[in-house]
Amino acid sequence: MPRSLPYARMFTTRVLLAIALVALYAQALLPGGDASGLALLFGRFHPLLVHLPIGLLVGALGLFWWNRLGFGLAAAPAVATLVHLGAWAAVAAAWAGLDLEAGGGYGGDGVLYHKIAGMAVATLAVAVVFLDYGRLRQGIEGVHTAPVTRSHKLASLLLFAALVVAGHLGGNLTHGPDFLAEHMPGPLRTLLGGSGRVAFASIEDPGSLPVYAALVQPALDARCVSCHGASQAKGKLRLDTPEGLIAGGTNGEVIVAGQPDASELVRRIRLPASHEEAMPPDGRAGLSVAEATLLEWWIETGASFDLTLQDAEQTPQVSFVLQGLGIGAFPTGIYALDTAPPDSTALVRLEATGISVLRLGESEAYVSLRCSRSDVCLTPEQVAAIDPVAAQVAWLDLSGTDVDDAGLAVVERLPHLERLHLQRTRITDEGIRRLVGREYLTYVNLYGTAVTDSALSVLEGLPALESVYLWQSGVSVEGAARLRERRPGLLVDTGAAAGGQ
Ligand code: HEC
């Protein structure tokens, strides 16, 4: 049977294979013009084609070593045929890889090493094909027992190593360097070069989360770093490190701190997926709306790498997104306190005195109080009934009631008062003095009262105050202007549209 092996034809096909290999090297090393449409198409088959040489060559090498180690016998011509087919497949896959690269957008060390490993696979496979040929010829009389030279063994081992390296580096290019290592135990992961970045599995104190590291970089890792990372940096842009984000790409900066609209990176992610400059390209899954919102917000707040969530001012949109992530609401002011919920019988008794009580949200400890009759507000009986829930009173609405300066003494008992409505009451500057020391008071409405400029020093001294309403009060335009000047950020509403009144 061995005598019938068609040596002439075997030789011809091997010569053709060698020519193909030389052409592959020419393609890889000589500068080429623009890739043709057909080449670009062929290039896209690279990720598919690479599986052929892997399967064929690993199969062949497996059989080869199976024989060598004496586990069983596979006919040497069959093994040689597998290697031969595998070598053709390796040349074709490498060729497609070069075409894919020529299509543009690839660069960086990762691509270079993958290319070298891929060329090594093709070269070593062709080498083994020729070594097999020699062996087949020698072994005519006994195919199974033909001597295997040391170079044959070495070439087969190197071929296997090159396959593993090329496959691994190729995988890194498609899936990102962490793909394989992601679920490995720590030491193995470090060995394989994974970054070992840890996810925030449990968040004890969301306010202390760094915005960039916790919310921005993970999105870039997931959607951008496979092309803009250590193994390849398309557009010469790396998005896996702060340095890379600062350095920008071919066309310079991609982030302008404080100005998302002027940031190239933001422009790219906002483009419709079909736009040729859209990121990620080719209709790949891009950032989610939530991820994009957080990224833009991070740039807007100054693109700082150590800003924490609690120090960044949130827009309503951002709060909404953060709430969706379960890290939205950082209690501030009285809501950060550990106040116990009010005693419900005390609330019932309080209502019985003619004060309407409203709970501020289901889980809140706090209540809002309002006199249900404006002509008998804050009687001694009512004040006594407020006492047991004084720590829970956050909002007090006395607007339009007969409350006067003496009645306002009640606020001194309310340590957590946050909003106070005094509009259209008989309160004067004298009563306002009772507000001194209300450290959580954020809102005071004095519309339609006789309060004058001399009350403003008290208001100015309220640390948490955010808004004060002074329309139709005794406060002068100058007084209001002075307050605004001394407390920038405080809303001083005098009802004046523009300068008037
Ligand atoms: C599939 C690969 C791929 C992915 C994924 C990808 N990019 Fe790109 N990116 C490219 C290529 C190729 C270029 C260069 C061509 C160009 O400028 O359009 C580029 C260029 C850029 C540039 C311009 C750099 C410069 O200075 O010219 C920015 C900004 C950018 N990408 C941002 C992103 C962001 C943000 C993501 C993730 C949401 C992302 N890219 C995901 C392939 C990718």
Side-chain angles (χ1 to χ4, degrees):
M1 201 275 277
R3 277 185 200 287
S4 64
L5 285 174
Y7 289 113
R9 213 178 300 158
M10 278 172 62
F11 187 72
T12 320
T13 51
R14 278 165 174 74
V15 169
L16 287 177
L17 179 62
I19 292 173
L21 184 70
V22 171
L24 178 70
Y25 270 91
Q27 166 87 353
L29 299 176
L30 302 179
D34 277 347
S36 71
L38 198 64
L40 292 180
L41 176 67
F42 186 53
R44 292 294 163 97
F45 282 89
H46 176 69
L48 186 76
L49 279 175
V50 290
H51 296 99
L52 275 178
I54 293 176
L56 289 165
L57 294 173
V58 169
L61 292 170
L63 286 177
F64 176 81
W65 283 97
W66 197 252
N67 275 356
R68 292 305 311 151
L69 299 174
F71 291 125
L73 294 177
V79 179
T81 306
L82 275 183
V83 178
H84 196 165
L85 291 173
W88 276 108
V91 171
W95 199 295
L98 294 175
D99 281 346
L100 181 61
E101 188 190 19
Y106 290 90
D109 289 349
V111 173
L112 179 66
Y113 297 147
H114 171 63
K115 192 158 87 172
I116 291 173
M119 294 296 284
V121 169
T123 311
L124 287 163
V126 173
V128 174
V129 167
F130 276 91
L131 289 164
D132 274 341
Y133 175 70
R135 184 165 164 256
L136 288 177
R137 292 213 59 167
Q138 278 181 33
I140 294 172
E141 299 305 335
V143 163
H144 303 317
T145 52
V148 174
T149 60
R150 197 170 272 182
S151 53
H152 201 161
K153 282 189 258 181
L154 185 67
S156 77
L157 282 177
L158 285 176
L159 174 56
F160 184 69
L163 265 175
V164 170
V165 171
H168 177 64
L169 294 178
N172 281 358
L173 293 180
T174 353
H175 304 293
D178 283 349
F179 186 71
L180 184 60
E182 193 175 21
H183 298 294
M184 288 184 180
L188 203 56
R189 190 168 61 209
T190 324
L191 195 72
L192 272 165
S195 65
R197 205 175 258 130
V198 260
F200 293 87
S202 76
I203 301 166
E204 295 271 314
D205 175 15
S208 67
L209 282 181
V211 175
Y212 161 74
L215 301 172
V216 176
Q217 190 58 54
L220 298 176
D221 285 346
R223 303 293 181 201
C224 318
V225 165
S226 60
C227 294
H228 296 289
S231 50
Q232 55 173 341
K234 296 195 174 176
K236 296 216 167 64
L237 174 63
R238 281 185 65 165
L239 297 176
D240 57 339
T241 58
E243 295 75 28
L245 279 159
I246 294 169
T250 322
N251 298 308
E253 280 190 342
V254 293
I255 282 176
V256 183
Q259 299 179 49
D261 292 344
S263 301
E264 175 68 6
L265 190 142
V266 173
R267 186 183 74 85
R268 295 292 195 112
I269 61 173
R270 281 181 186 166
L271 287 171
S274 58
H275 193 287
E276 66 171 18
E277 292 189 336
M279 283 297 141
D282 307 327
R284 282 164 201 252
L287 298 178
S288 68
V289 173
E291 288 167 335
T293 304
L294 294 175
L295 175 69
E296 292 181 22
W297 172 59
W298 171 70
I299 294 175
E300 179 137 35
T301 56
S304 149
F305 293 99
D306 31 49
L307 179 82
T308 58
L309 214 41
Q310 67 209 353
D311 294 332
E313 198 170 317
Q314 297 179 13
T315 63
Q317 211 184 354
V318 165
S319 307
F320 182 75
V321 168
L322 291 175
Q323 258 153 41
L325 295 173
I327 50 175
F330 315 118
T332 55
I334 55 170
Y335 304 101
L337 304 175
D338 216 359
T339 307
D343 175 49
S344 36
T345 44
L347 291 184
V348 173
R349 254 182 258 134
L350 182 56
E351 290 214 280
T353 66
I355 290 191
S356 44
V357 179
L358 222 81
R359 299 285 286 256
L360 293 184
E362 283 293 309
S363 61
E364 290 300 349
Y366 298 105
V367 295
S368 162
L369 302 186
R370 194 170 57 79
C371 285
S372 44
R373 279 182 58 188
S374 58
D375 54 340
V376 281
C377 190
L378 296 184
T379 61
E381 188 207 358
Q382 287 176 329
V383 171
I386 288 176
D387 252 356
V389 294
Q392 283 82 16
V393 177
W395 298 3
L396 182 61
D397 185 353
L398 303 173
S399 58
T401 66
D402 64 349
V403 167
D404 57 10
D405 291 340
L408 205 57
V410 71
V411 303
E412 291 171 350
R413 301 162 184 257
L414 309 177
H416 300 143
L417 190 63
E418 193 190 39
R419 290 172 74 98
L420 181 59
H421 289 265
L422 295 173
Q423 61 267 42
R424 293 178 287 104
T425 58
R426 292 183 281 145
I427 300 298
T428 70
D429 298 343
E430 195 53 38
I432 295 302
R433 290 192 208 298
R434 304 202 186 265
L435 302 186
V436 172
R438 298 302 93 192
E439 56 177 316
Y440 297 111
L441 200 54
T442 62
Y443 171 104
V444 178
N445 196 326
L446 298 170
Y447 149 63
T449 61
V451 169
T452 71
D453 287 1
S454 55
L456 297 184
S457 63
V458 173
L459 297 176
E460 192 190 316
L462 292 171
L465 196 63
E466 290 169 2
S467 40
V468 55
Y469 291 81
L470 297 169
W471 187 41
Q472 291 184 358
S473 70
V475 172
S476 68
V477 175
E478 297 75 35
R482 232 179 359 257
L483 181 57
R484 281 194 196 99
E485 207 170 287
R486 292 191 184 156
R487 284 287 300 268
L490 175 65
L491 171 72
V492 181
D493 190 323
T494 51
Q501 287 167 2

